[in-house]
Amino acid sequence: MNKQRNAVYEKRNHALFGERLSLDIDNAFSIVAESLASSFKEQEDFEGFKLACIVNFGMDTSITQDDFKSLDAGKLADKLYTEAIQSYTNHVDSIGKKAIPVFKDIRASQGSHIENVVVPFTDGRKAINVLAPLDKTVETNGQALTSSMEKSITLAVIDEAWKDHLRSMDDLKQSVQTAYLEQKDPLVIYKVEAFQLFNNMTTNLNKDIIAFLTQANLPDQQQQNNQIKEGRQEKTDLSKLSANKDQIDAAGNDYAANENDYFDPSAPPVKQEPIRVGPKIGRNDPCPCGSGKSTNNATEKAANKISQSLQNFGGIF
């Protein structure tokens, strides 16, 4: 678990701080292209290969059936990777060009105080809000927006995949506990199955990131003015957390009405009085009730009364 966590958080930090994010995305394109080429080439399924290109890369590949049959898996993967990267570059440029007029309109209509803008990106199934700097997006001709899009989408997909993987690991931990009944080592089985789960998770993670990035789009032209709006970092209003005496009294009668009942930090600490324990009463000592009888006789007398009452009630003791 620690090794897996380090690997995932290293990839997450690349997206969070912008380091190596572009390289990670490029590697993901290469891994997905190689996976599609090898699997469908082995099955000799050209139609499935074309459909997988649409699902994973959001494009209708120009690779013909003759190319699919003549090229080996390695060359087919290289050609698919080059085509997918070019298609994604054009897609990103298109997003930037579409966003620039909207960002300029926000600046002109809503004033110069706006620093960030929230842009909802969707792949047709789910949406992710992206916080982009307004001025920098305009200055870089949309590049700042697409960089924020890559960062936000990558982080969201990684977090979702990691949470699902942790649940799968918990289920695996529970399922391998009965392996000793088959004279197998539960720890060995856990390590093998955990490694396979992690490989599947990383494979699906790369596919999900690439699929979302290549199919992410801005809202429709009619919805942009309503959905693209100012983005602010929420801050806690500490003034709403304070309460005076009148507010407390109005909320309920559980608080004292006197100001002296409230905690005063300047008041001296109250000295705690020691707990005083009375003298221990022996078994045959006089009863403290004042009857003059010993505690043993008083106890026996009380027990006899209780027994007699229970017998009168009809109980069997």
Side-chain angles (χ1 to χ4, degrees):
M1 283 297 299
N2 189 48
K3 292 180 180 179
Q4 294 181 5
R5 185 179 295 107
N6 291 336
V8 171
Y9 273 76
E10 182 180 7
K11 190 178 185 69
R12 191 180 188 277
N13 287 335
H14 291 167
L16 185 62
F17 300 107
E19 300 176 358
R20 290 174 50 90
L21 177 58
S22 59
L23 181 59
D24 285 347
I25 293 176
D26 186 78
N27 289 336
F29 269 96
S30 178
I31 292 172
V32 174
E34 183 179 355
S35 175
L36 295 181
S38 60
S39 60
F40 287 100
K41 181 69 175 180
E42 183 179 356
Q43 301 172 8
E44 297 183 356
D45 184 3
F46 177 68
E47 295 299 328
F49 174 76
K50 291 187 64 176
L51 180 60
C53 290
I54 296 175
V55 172
N56 291 277
F57 294 126
M59 67 174 190
D60 189 4
T61 180
S62 61
I63 298 176
T64 63
Q65 189 169 3
D66 293 336
D67 295 334
F68 182 79
K69 293 181 178 179
S70 61
L71 297 175
D72 59 18
K75 293 181 179 180
L76 182 63
D78 292 339
K79 188 171 183 177
L80 177 60
Y81 161 77
T82 303
E83 185 180 13
I85 286 293
Q86 185 61 46
S87 175
Y88 176 66
T89 302
N90 296 336
H91 176 66
V92 168
D93 292 341
S94 175
I95 290 177
K97 292 178 181 179
K98 290 179 181 178
I100 290 299
V102 181
F103 276 57
K104 289 182 178 180
D105 181 68
I106 292 175
R107 171 63 73 209
S109 61
Q110 300 188 25
S112 60
H113 67 281
I114 298 178
E115 297 181 359
N116 299 313
V117 177
V118 174
V119 182
F121 282 90
T122 177
D123 64 344
R125 294 173 298 176
K126 54 185 177 181
I128 295 178
N129 290 330
V130 175
L131 187 68
L134 194 151
D135 291 334
K136 192 174 181 180
T137 299
V138 176
E139 293 172 359
T140 59
N141 199 26
Q143 185 177 357
L145 172 62
T146 55
S147 297
S148 299
M149 177 196 72
E150 292 177 344
K151 173 182 176 180
S152 299
I153 290 176
T154 302
L155 285 174
V157 175
I158 289 176
D159 291 345
E160 184 177 357
W162 179 240
K163 288 187 292 185
D164 293 340
H165 179 70
L166 289 178
R167 285 191 286 267
S168 299
M169 292 291 285
D170 288 338
D171 294 340
L172 176 63
K173 184 178 180 180
Q174 298 296 328
S175 63
V176 301
Q177 291 181 356
T178 58
Y180 70 92
L181 299 175
E182 301 177 5
Q183 296 182 351
K184 297 179 181 179
D185 189 352
L187 182 59
V188 174
I189 297 177
Y190 178 77
K191 288 182 177 181
V192 173
E193 294 294 332
F195 179 75
Q196 186 62 39
L197 282 176
F198 186 74
N199 283 341
N200 294 338
M201 189 268 291
T202 53
T203 300
N204 294 330
L205 177 62
N206 289 324
K207 290 183 178 181
D208 292 341
I209 291 175
I210 298 304
F212 204 117
L213 288 176
T214 54
Q215 300 178 38
N217 280 307
L218 295 170
D220 295 337
Q221 188 67 30
Q222 298 177 352
Q223 301 175 349
Q224 287 182 3
N225 295 331
N226 296 328
Q227 296 188 13
I228 299 179
K229 55 186 179 180
E230 178 185 1
R232 297 180 180 178
Q233 294 181 353
E234 296 183 356
K235 297 182 179 180
T236 303
D237 188 359
L238 298 180
S239 63
K240 296 181 181 180
L241 299 180
S242 61
N244 54 33
K245 176 178 176 298
D246 296 336
Q247 292 173 332
I248 296 177
D249 292 339
N253 297 324
D254 295 337
Y255 298 93
N258 193 342
E259 293 182 357
N260 295 328
D261 292 336
Y262 293 95
F263 174 72
D264 186 3
S266 62
V270 179
K271 185 178 180 181
Q272 297 292 335
E273 293 292 336
I275 299 176
R276 304 183 183 276
V277 181
K280 186 177 180 181
I281 302 174
R283 180 179 179 84
N284 295 319
D285 292 343
C287 182
C289 64
S291 63
K293 298 182 180 181
S294 66
T295 55
N296 189 23
N297 293 335
T299 302
E300 291 179 357
K301 185 176 180 181
N304 292 334
K305 289 184 178 180
I306 294 173
S307 178
Q308 183 63 36
S309 299
L310 292 173
Q311 290 178 4
N312 294 335
F313 185 73
I316 302 176
F317 296 91

